[in-house]
Structures are given as C-alpha cells and as structure tokens.
DNA sequence: GCGTTACATATTTTT
DNA sequence: TATGTAACGC
C-alpha cells in the first residue's frame, strides 16, 4: 500500500495526527470525526513510512469488536502477516495475554481461569458468609463494587482504608475475597489489569522487556481508561515513550467502572511536550443532529469545547414523541420503523433503538415480536448468562482448573446426584484440612474409592456420590490432552446425562438444549488449536456485549446507551427520556454522575447519521403498577427550532389525569394487555439460539419471515373500534397506521400516522376510517 | 436431599 | 416483574 494514497483521503488535522512525529500525541476526536480511521492509519503509517516492525506495535481498543474491525482494516493495508504480528486487543485481553506469558510472577498457576462478573458476585457472597457477616447489611453486589473500585484504583486488600467501621468490614471482605480467588486459582476482570501493573512495577526486568518490545503504543477511547489502565500505559512506555491516544472527554461514560476522563487532562500534565490535535469535522451526522448534541453537552464544564461541524447539510428535524405510556412508546417505535420499511424509505438495519437500562428492552422486544419484526439485541448475558451455558462452562473450567471452587459449587450437584449442602460442606472441610481444593479431594475419592483417606470422614452415602463425581472429573482431565475440545465437550455432556436434565420436551427445554448445541458449535473453532480449552475459556470470559451482535441481519438494533459507543446508525430512537430514567435516579444527587448522564445522552444523539427520534412516556410500568413520569431535563436543552413535536396525549396533564383511564389500576390495564398477547402463541418464535456469538433472546430472523401480524381485538371495555398497530385508510389522507386509541368522554379518539400527512388525531365517530386487513 | 411454597426484595450502565 | 431465599413437608 502506498503512503501518499493512504494520506490522500484525510483532512488536515487527521493527516497531522496520522503523521505526527514520535513521542506523545493526544488526539481529541469528536464523534464521527474519523477517530478509528486515524488510529488504524496511524498504525499503518508507522509500519509503512517509519519502518516500525508491526511486532513492536501495541494497539488497545475498547471492545473486542473494535479490535477485530481494526485488525481487518490493517490486514487490507498491511497484508495478513504484518497485521497479525501487531498486538491488538482490549486492555483486558492484552493483559490476559501478558499474564499467561508471565505467569511465574503471579500468585496463581498457569492454568488459572478468568472469573466473570457472576463468579465475582458468588465469590463475594462466599467471602461474606465466611466472615459470618449479614448479607442484608453488606450486600454482595455493593461489596463487590467496592472491591472492584479498589482494584481499579490499584488499592490492595491490606491497603484498603478503614476510616469507618463499614470500610473496615469492606477491607476484611476484600481480603477474604482475594484469598478465595487465589485459592481457586482464579483471576478476576480487575486482576487482569491490577496484576499486569503490579508485576511490571515490581520487576524492572519485565518493564524493560515490554518497554523495549512496544516501541509504539496506540490507545482508543482514552477518556474511558481508569487509573490501572493509565498506569499500565505508563509502565509499558518507559523505554520508548511513544504513546498515541485518541479520545473525547465528552464521550466518557464508564465512570462507574473506574474510568476517569480527567486522564485526558492528566496526560497533558504528565507529558507537557505532547502534541494535541483536535478533530472537529464530523462526517457522520446532519447539522441538526450535531446542533442538538452540542446544545446538550455544552452544559457540561471541565472540557475542551469543540465546535463540531458537518457538511452534510441541515437534514431533518428531530422528532420528539411523547407517548401515553411505555407500551405506546414501544408501539410508536415499531410502527415508525415498519412504516418506513414498508414505504421503502429505509431498511430495517438502518435503525437503532437505545435506552438507559436493560430492563427497558423487554417492552420493546415484545412490541417487535408482536409486530413480527425481527430485531437484534446487544447483550452477551442473553446467551452466556443462560443457566445451561454457564453450567457447561463451569464443567469445562473445572477440567482446566479443579481448584475453581465457584465452578465446583455450581455444578457438583447439577444434574442432582445426591450431593447436598451437608456433603458439600463435608468435602470442603476435608479439603481444608488436607490443604487441597475440594475438586482435588473429590478426584482422590473417585480414583481410590474406599481406600481414599477422605472416605471415612464423609460417611457412606455422600462419599459414594462424591467419588462418582470425582471419578468423572478425573477422567475428563486425563483425556483433556488427547481429546479435541468438541470431543471433551461431548464426553462431559454424555457422562453427566445432561440432555434429559434440561430438555424436558417443552419449548423452553428445547431452547435450552439448543443453547447447549450452540456452545458446542462454538467449541469447534478451538478443536485444532493448541491449548484449545484455555483459549476457549478465555474468549468466553472476555466477550463483550457488543461482540455478540450478529453481523449481517436486516433488523433494527436494540441496545443500551452504554453499548452504543463507537457505533452509528441511519436513524436512532432514544426512548425513555424521562426523569429518573434518563437521567437515571441514581445520578440525581451527584453532579459528576449527572454530567455523565448528560454525556451518555450526548453519545446516543451523535450515533445518528440522518434522523433522530426522541421518545418518552407519561406513564411507565415499574415493578408494581403504573407510575407517572415527567419529561427529561435534557430535552429542555434542545432548541425548539430543531424539534418536531408530536404528542399522543390528550390535552394537558390535568384533563388527562382526570380521565376515565385513571380509574383503571395498573394491574387491570396490564391484565388487559396480557390478554392481548394470549392466544397468540403461534407468533411467539421459539427462542432457539441463532448464529455464533449471537444473543439468545433476540430471535433474530432465525424464524422464517414472520407471519402476517394477527391482531387480536382488544377485550373491549367500551365500544372501541381501533387500536394500535392497525392499518387504516382515510378518504383524503390515504393509508396510515393507528398509533393509539382511547375512549374519552364516550368518544373514541384515534391517533393515526398517515404516510401522506403524518400524524393526525381523529374522532372515530366523525372520521371515515376503514380498517385494512 | 429435594421439591414446593411463600415471602421479600430489589432494580444502571459492563470489560 | 422476577429472582432469590427461607421454611416446610416429603
């Protein structure tokens, strides 16, 4: 690849960044300003123009997906061999790789496993129980959050401050947690970073080794680095001091994970001679989108103000839709998408629907499902969080590392084999006494039977069950080396007789088995690989939500505002723009948190290329009944001139709340709705797991084209002819889609979105609307 | 040891 | 809602 060719397509600041002289470079890149491109070209430039060997370059991205994309681009620019030689990955993946190589410096053995969020919570629980503390008072999630924060800030158990009694307790839990983790031969997410920093810090030789190796270090999403990551970067650049970082304070949204956007400022302080480059031209969005985004973000202080500009023209106004409730909100989203798809103005894949909390996806999913519109959902938990998947991964982890106490506890009695609490505690005590892990003791029982020194202490019945389990584990371990990964997988599944256990013949059972088969399929990718089991488990532990997106599916994407980082879509819906949701209630009393909510909204806004739909609802279902909600403060910051305001509400709040609707309790309303779903079983797709890394719930179009949406008439409270999702024809305005319908003062009011004139509110008794089948 | 039931209890974001 | 856990009966 020719260098001048490479640089040709860049604007001035971009080129300046790509060709910057060695040393430290800080690129502040607004959304859509070609940040990823700059990063990729920088790496290519270093190789092609500066003669740096790819082997000497380290590039760190925020997600595995970003890493893959960058890798693919580099392959095109440099060729496969050179692209593969580069170290490229997330902080966590890079650290895992480093720790595997330098395991001798760690307190764990080389077959260590990586503990995911779930394991961490379980481990925290155990630590709390071990210390006989009250779980109600010291909630495992909160305790773990504290531990995680400490680790991200490089605070070790013994250094944990004990200013208050509570801190002192947290410190004790942290200590116990870490002991348990090491005993389990495990490393948690945060340890990956912490250990990497520690061993580099403590071993000048290692520092020199990697410092020499990495002549050039490139970092993406720098605003979301935490202290451990920042320190790591410093440690890795002690020899060559070549650090090229790209970021944007305005897009820092991971504070709760320890990220500190002030690292951007710190960078300038720590490297006074650094070059600072601003990328302000936006190639993604219309000016309207940018103006709105800017109006929102300009309320934040402590930032380098940027004036984003676009030459894409003004574009369309932003639609602000205020729905009656969250069901109507979801219906509006689906209707709008369907309508545009039907009229050919957009493809399904052009759309994204974003929300603040995962819980919000449910109603949306139901609405999509009911309308027969396929969708793809970002969220790893959907597949990897499933019980059957976790079970089998736990078995694999035990094979890899029998000391893994958490996995052992998880599966020692799955499927039930007569090992209850008592037997388990007995086993653990025996293990403790012998200075072994429970898994090792079980294996000893299995191999030696009644001759085992542990046999007597456990009492006949329990010992038999434990020995049976231990024998299986021992045999898998013995075979692991000679078996391919899928063979091992099959052996385990057969030996434990797993299928009848999870597949009871029901639809759900079928799905569960489908997930097992999917996991098996994934294991094939590691069948020929050296240390396939290790690699497989590591990949599983480090997959991110974004990584689970099926690539090409013509379907709208549903995702949280956090997961949208780095992505872009033709048209973006942001739903739930209500106080307490966006901004989230947890952020109200902390200005820093509030600023972050604002950034989160800003990031969402700037994902849109062409159109933005901001959506909210007057009432929402919370975990009980209905609650009224009010408009998000962020909406007020967007100039009216940019907005096209649509509301499906009736009159002002006062008249609305006095209406007959109010007399219906939330419960009744929900029942009413529930019955709409009933009898519709046909259209509920079986939830079989689709393609690799695809989430399980999302029901991407693994089902053939959806059957035409059959709408059950709503159980009629009064006489109501229309309801949402119905297609209607008007003599003048033509075809449209009913968004909502209400009985008010014995009149039916219908909201219709017409293809010709857009939104109209009609009285059913007056308007001549025909229902189209 | 296992399965059922009632009850309470929580609800942000994720590498 | 939905998830986990404590208590109970087999």
């Amino acid at each position: 690849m020719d260098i001048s060719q490479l640089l040709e397509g860049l604007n001035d600041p971009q080129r300046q960044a790509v060709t910057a002289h060695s040393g430290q470079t800080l690129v502040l890149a607004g959304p859509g300003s070609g940040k990823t491109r700059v990063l990729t070209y920088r790496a290519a430039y270093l190789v092609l123009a500066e003669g740096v060997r790819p082997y000497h370059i380290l590039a760190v991205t925020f997600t595995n997906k970003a890493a893959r994309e960058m890798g693919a681009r580099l392959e095109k620019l440099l060729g496969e061999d050179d692209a593969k030689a580069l170290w490229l990955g997330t902080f966590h993946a890079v650290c895992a790789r480093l720790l595997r190589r330098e395991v001798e410096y760690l307190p764990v053995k080389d077959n260590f496993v990586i503990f995911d969020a779930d394991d961490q919570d379980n481990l925290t629980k155990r630590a709390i129980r071990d210390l006989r503390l009250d779980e109600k008072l010291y909630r495992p999630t909160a305790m773990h959050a504290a531990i995680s924060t400490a680790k991200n800030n490089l605070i070790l158990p013994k250094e944990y401050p004990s200013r208050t009694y509570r801190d002192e307790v947290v410190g004790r839990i942290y200590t116990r947690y870490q002991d348990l983790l090491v005993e389990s031969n495990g490393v948690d997410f945060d340890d990956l970073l912490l250990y990497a920093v520690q061993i580099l810090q403590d071993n000048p030789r290692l520092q020199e080794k990697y410092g020499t190796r990495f002549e050039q270090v490139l970092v993406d999403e720098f605003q979301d680095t935490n202290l451990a990551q920042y320190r790591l970067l410093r440690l890795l650049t002690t020899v060559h001091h070549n650090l090229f970082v790209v970021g944007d304070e305005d897009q820092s949204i991971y504070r709760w994970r320890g990220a500190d956007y002030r690292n951007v400022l710190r960078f300038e302080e720590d490297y006074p001679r650094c070059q600072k480059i601003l990328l302000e031209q936006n190639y993604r969005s219309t000016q309207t989108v940018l103006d709105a985004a800017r109006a929102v973000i300009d309320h934040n202080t402590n930032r380098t103000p940027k004036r984003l500009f676009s030459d894409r023209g003004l574009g369309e106004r932003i639609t602000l839709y205020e729905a009656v409730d969250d069901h109507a909100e979801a219906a509006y989203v689906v209707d709008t998408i369907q309508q545009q798809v039907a009229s050919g103005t957009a493809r399904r894949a052009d759309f994204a629907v974003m929300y603040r909390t995962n819980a919000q996806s449910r109603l949306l999913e139901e609405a999509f499902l009911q309308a027969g519109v396929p969708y793809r959902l970002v969220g790893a938990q959907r597949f990897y969080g499933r019980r059957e998947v976790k079970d089998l991964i736990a078995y694999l982890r035990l094979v890899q590392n029998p000391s893994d106490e958490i996995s052992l506890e998880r599966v020692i009695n799955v499927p039930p084999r007569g090992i209850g609490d008592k037997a388990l505690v007995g086993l653990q005590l025996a293990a403790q006494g012998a200075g072994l892990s429970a898994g090792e003791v079980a294996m000893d029982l299995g191999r030696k039977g009644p001759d085992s020194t542990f046999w007597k202490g456990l009492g006949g019945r329990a010992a038999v069950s434990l020995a049976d389990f231990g024998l299986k584990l021992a045999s898998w371990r013995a075979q692991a080396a000679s078996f391919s990964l899928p063979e091992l997988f099959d052996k385990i599944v057969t030996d434990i007789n797993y299928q009848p256990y999870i597949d009871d013949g029901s639809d759900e059972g079928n799905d569960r088995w489908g997930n097992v088969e999917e996991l098996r399929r994934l294991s094939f990718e590691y069948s020929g690989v050296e240390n396939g089991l290790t690699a497989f488990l590591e990949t599983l532990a480090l997959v991110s939500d974004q990584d689970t997106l099926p690539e090409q599916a013509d379907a709208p994407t549903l995702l949280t505002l956090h997961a949208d980082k780095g992505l872009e879509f033709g048209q973006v819906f942001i739903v739930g723009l209500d106080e307490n949701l966006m901004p989230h209630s947890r952020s109200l009393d902390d200005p820093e948190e509030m600023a972050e909510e604002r950034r989160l909204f800003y990031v969402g806004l700037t994902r849109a290329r062409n159109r933005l739909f901001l959506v909210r609802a007057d009432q929402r279902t919370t975990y009980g009944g209905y609650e009224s909600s009010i408009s998000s403060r962020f909406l007020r910051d967007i100039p009216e001139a940019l907005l096209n305001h649509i509301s499906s509400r009736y009159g002002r709040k006062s008249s609305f709340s006095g209406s007959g609707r109010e007399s219906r309790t939330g419960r009744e309303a929900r029942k009413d709705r529930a019955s709409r779903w009933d009898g519709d079983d046909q259209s509920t797709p079986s939830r079989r797991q689709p393609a690799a890394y695809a989430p399980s719930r999302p029901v991407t179009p693994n089902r053939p084209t959806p059957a035409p949406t059959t709408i059950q008439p709503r159980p009629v409270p009064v006489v109501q002819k229309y309801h949402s999702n119905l297609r209607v024809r008007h003599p003048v305005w033509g075809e449209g889609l009913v968004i909502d319908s209400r009985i008010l003062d014995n009149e039916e009011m219908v909201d219709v979105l017409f293809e010709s004139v857009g939104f109209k509110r009609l009285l059913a008794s007056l308007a001549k609307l025909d229902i189209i089948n």
Side-chain angles (χ1 to χ4, degrees):
Chain A
M1 178 101 201
D2 188 65
I3 297 159
S4 55
Q5 212 179 323
L6 194 82
L7 301 177
E8 225 163 63
L10 301 177
N11 66 29
D12 284 348
Q14 283 176 337
R15 189 175 313 115
Q16 205 188 330
V18 168
T19 61
H21 55 76
S22 281
Q24 304 90 42
T25 309
L26 169 63
V27 181
L28 291 180
S33 61
K35 168 174 75 84
T36 316
R37 201 161 170 226
V38 163
L39 206 64
T40 315
Y41 281 22
R42 171 69 177 177
Y45 177 84
L46 289 171
V47 175
L48 299 173
E50 302 281 325
V52 180
R53 281 176 57 206
Y55 171 87
H56 289 300
I57 299 177
L58 168 69
V60 186
T61 59
F62 194 73
T63 63
N64 295 300
K65 185 175 177 240
R68 270 204 306 276
E69 280 168 8
M70 191 170 161
R73 286 201 204 187
L74 280 174
E75 222 165 88
K76 289 214 181 87
L77 295 171
L78 302 175
E80 200 182 327
D81 290 350
D82 274 358
K84 289 259 157 62
L86 225 103
W87 262 37
L88 172 63
T90 63
F91 271 106
H92 294 268
V94 166
C95 287
R97 194 169 163 187
L98 191 146
L99 295 183
R100 286 267 175 231
R101 298 175 153 220
E102 311 298 343
V103 74
E104 62 199 278
Y105 294 91
L106 301 176
V108 291
K109 292 180 286 178
D110 63 352
N111 58 337
F112 70 82
V113 287
I114 298 171
F115 275 40
D116 67 19
D118 237 35
D119 307 321
Q120 293 175 58
D121 269 351
N122 288 330
L123 206 63
T124 312
K125 246 181 237 170
R126 255 203 75 179
I128 293 169
R129 281 177 197 165
D130 283 0
L131 296 171
R132 323 263 131 148
L133 291 163
D134 186 352
E135 277 176 68
K136 301 258 157 61
L137 228 53
Y138 303 98
R139 301 200 173 285
T141 38
M143 292 304 105
H144 178 245
I147 293 172
S148 183
T149 304
K151 288 188 174 185
N152 284 324
N153 285 301
L154 301 171
I155 298 167
L156 301 176
K158 57 175 184 294
E159 299 163 353
Y160 200 85
S162 51
R163 275 191 45 85
T164 63
Y165 176 67
R166 194 176 172 79
D167 281 349
E168 194 267 327
V169 175
V170 174
R172 267 156 56 205
I173 296 173
Y174 182 11
T175 305
R176 181 74 194 133
Y177 170 94
Q178 198 60 25
D179 287 347
L180 285 170
L181 192 52
V182 173
E183 278 170 31
S184 284
N185 197 23
V187 160
D188 72 12
F189 274 135
D190 307 310
D191 281 345
L192 291 171
L193 304 169
L194 181 62
Y195 280 145
V197 168
Q198 264 187 316
I199 63 173
L200 287 169
Q201 211 154 252
D202 298 347
N203 300 283
R205 276 182 40 217
L206 273 186
Q207 218 180 100
E208 204 200 318
K209 175 176 172 186
Y210 287 96
T212 311
R213 156 103 195 225
F214 298 129
E215 290 174 12
Q216 299 283 347
V217 177
L218 285 63
V219 185
D220 196 7
E221 307 282 5
F222 183 70
Q223 76 284 354
D224 276 321
T225 50
N226 58 36
L227 182 68
Q229 290 163 337
Y230 188 81
R231 188 69 62 78
L232 181 71
L233 291 174
R234 295 218 67 171
L235 287 166
L236 288 175
T237 52
T238 44
V239 176
H240 295 289
H241 306 284
N242 292 326
L243 187 52
F244 183 95
V245 305
V246 184
D248 177 8
E249 305 115 294
D250 293 338
Q251 296 183 62
S252 171
I253 54 177
Y254 283 91
R255 199 177 100 97
W256 48 274
R257 218 168 72 187
D260 188 352
Y261 67 91
R262 279 167 303 202
N263 279 343
V264 174
L265 309 174
R266 192 169 299 151
F267 187 88
E268 291 183 77
E269 284 166 22
D270 286 354
Y271 302 105
R273 291 171 53 210
C274 79
Q275 245 193 105
K276 182 171 164 182
I277 298 163
L278 248 66
L279 303 183
E280 294 177 306
Q281 175 157 12
N282 175 295
Y283 294 95
R284 177 187 298 155
S285 310
T286 65
Q287 195 59 46
T288 299
V289 168
L290 293 184
D291 286 348
R294 176 169 178 180
V296 167
I297 202 66
D298 270 353
H299 283 80
N300 275 358
T301 52
N302 225 337
R303 52 188 281 269
T304 312
K306 283 170 274 306
R307 19 171 270 284
L308 286 179
F309 61 96
S310 161
D311 55 11
R312 292 209 39 219
L314 221 49
E316 293 197 56
R317 278 199 192 197
I318 296 163
T319 303
L320 171 60
Y321 184 84
E322 304 204 60
V324 199
D325 61 20
D326 42 8
H327 288 88
E329 176 184 71
Y332 170 74
V333 171
V334 177
D335 288 349
T336 310
I337 291 174
Q338 263 190 313
Q339 204 199 331
Q340 285 199 45
V341 171
S343 64
T345 53
R347 299 179 25 183
R348 281 173 175 157
D350 293 336
F351 296 94
V353 189
M354 302 171 180
Y355 35 82
R356 177 67 234 269
T357 66
N358 279 308
Q360 290 170 265
S361 75
R362 265 199 57 161
L363 279 180
L364 289 162
E365 289 182 68
E366 282 176 8
F368 276 107
L369 229 52
Q370 211 231 354
V373 179
Y375 60 90
R376 39 181 217 158
L377 184 83
V378 182
Q381 263 50 19
R382 306 294 180 248
F383 178 63
Y384 296 107
R386 295 211 114 58
R387 199 189 67 203
E388 58 277 13
V389 175
K390 295 218 74 171
D391 282 351
L392 288 171
I393 292 177
Y395 270 108
L396 289 173
R397 277 174 37 170
L398 268 182
V399 173
Q400 151 101 353
N401 168 32
S403 306
D404 181 344
E405 215 70 7
I406 293 296
S407 293
L408 180 109
E409 277 186 29
R410 179 180 185 96
V411 297
I412 194 164
N413 201 30
V414 173
R417 49 172 79 90
I419 302 174
D421 276 354
K422 250 182 105 186
L424 180 62
V425 171
L427 177 72
Q428 286 169 336
L429 280 175
Q432 216 168 20
L436 294 169
S437 70
E440 287 163 323
V441 172
M443 285 195 291
D444 190 71
L445 284 164
R447 280 188 291 246
K448 299 184 191 148
D451 294 338
S452 163
T453 45
F454 304 107
W455 188 273
K456 276 206 199 95
L458 289 163
R461 214 160 62 99
V464 175
S465 314
L466 288 171
D468 179 53
F469 175 78
L471 187 61
K472 287 194 177 101
L473 181 55
S475 79
W476 298 327
R477 272 179 65 72
Q479 288 160 329
S482 54
F483 275 29
S484 75
L485 192 52
E487 282 169 340
L488 175 66
F489 188 91
D490 288 344
K491 182 93 169 68
I492 293 174
V493 171
T494 318
D495 282 356
I496 64 175
N497 206 11
Y498 198 58
Q499 184 169 16
Y501 171 65
I502 58 159
D503 188 357
D504 54 5
S506 69
D507 281 357
E508 292 80 16
N510 217 326
D511 284 349
R512 286 196 288 266
W513 183 246
N515 287 331
V516 172
E517 286 182 323
E518 177 58 24
L519 186 63
R520 177 176 187 272
R521 224 183 53 69
L522 290 176
S523 78
F524 271 94
E525 290 177 31
Y526 296 83
S527 57
V529 182
E530 193 190 346
N531 288 328
L533 181 56
T534 312
F536 186 51
L537 290 174
E538 196 150 302
T539 311
L540 293 180
L542 297 177
V543 273
S544 74
D545 276 358
Q546 273 202 13
D547 300 324
T548 64
L549 261 190
E551 291 292 331
Q552 19 347 44
D554 185 22
T557 305
L558 271 57
L559 73 178
T560 64
L561 285 163
H562 279 91
D564 67 12
K565 193 189 215 2
L567 305 174
E568 63 173 51
F569 301 90
Q571 306 193 37
V572 168
F573 291 85
I574 304 179
V575 304
L577 287 167
D578 296 276
E579 283 293 299
N580 293 326
L581 205 47
M582 182 77 241
H584 196 271
S585 51
R586 305 281 282 231
S587 64
L588 298 182
D589 44 6
D590 181 349
E592 282 285 342
E593 295 268 313
M594 183 56 75
E596 177 140 320
E597 295 288 300
R598 193 176 278 284
R599 291 193 293 269
L600 192 53
F601 184 40
Y602 172 78
V603 173
L605 291 171
T606 53
R607 301 304 98 192
R609 281 197 291 267
N610 305 317
R611 285 196 77 178
L612 259 176
F613 297 86
L614 306 180
V615 193
R616 60 165 301 271
D618 281 332
Q619 282 193 303
R620 306 197 157 268
T621 33
T622 48
Y623 50 99
Y626 258 156
E627 249 168 45
S628 59
S629 67
I630 56 169
S631 182
S632 166
R633 66 189 71 188
F634 297 152
L635 289 175
R636 286 202 295 275
D637 299 331
I638 301 177
E640 269 302 319
L642 303 176
L643 292 175
N644 191 11
H645 201 280
I646 303 180
S647 166
S648 68
R649 293 175 297 183
Y650 297 95
R652 295 275 120 220
K653 272 249 148 58
S654 54
S655 73
F656 168 69
S657 56
S659 76
R661 193 159 203 288
E662 187 69 6
S663 64
R664 283 162 48 126
T665 65
R667 202 163 290 277
E668 284 170 44
R670 261 180 293 118
K671 232 199 213 143
D672 209 19
R673 279 207 176 78
S675 58
R676 259 206 292 169
W677 304 109
D678 290 348
D680 198 30
D681 284 344
Q682 299 290 64
S683 79
T684 308
S686 85
R687 299 179 171 199
R688 175 67 68 80
Q689 177 54 31
Y693 293 119
S696 159
R697 196 139 58 106
V699 194
T700 329
N702 49 12
R703 205 185 150 72
T705 317
T709 324
T710 48
I711 307 282
Q712 308 295 322
R714 189 202 284 257
V716 189
V718 201
V719 186
Q720 188 169 357
K721 270 175 73 183
Y722 306 93
H723 55 82
S724 67
N725 262 346
L726 210 55
R727 282 203 85 71
V728 293
R729 184 179 288 114
H730 184 276
V732 179
W733 295 321
E735 280 191 28
L737 205 53
V738 175
I739 288 172
D740 219 286
S741 176
R742 288 277 171 287
I743 305 288
L744 199 70
D745 288 338
N746 247 347
E747 281 281 10
E748 183 175 8
M749 277 228 197
V750 195
D751 289 350
V752 184
L753 199 57
F754 287 102
E755 279 160 27
S756 56
V757 291
F759 181 86
K760 291 284 174 192
R761 176 167 304 149
L762 309 162
L763 277 180
S765 56
L766 298 178
K768 299 183 184 65
L769 285 177
D770 291 326
I771 297 172
I772 308 170
N773 286 327

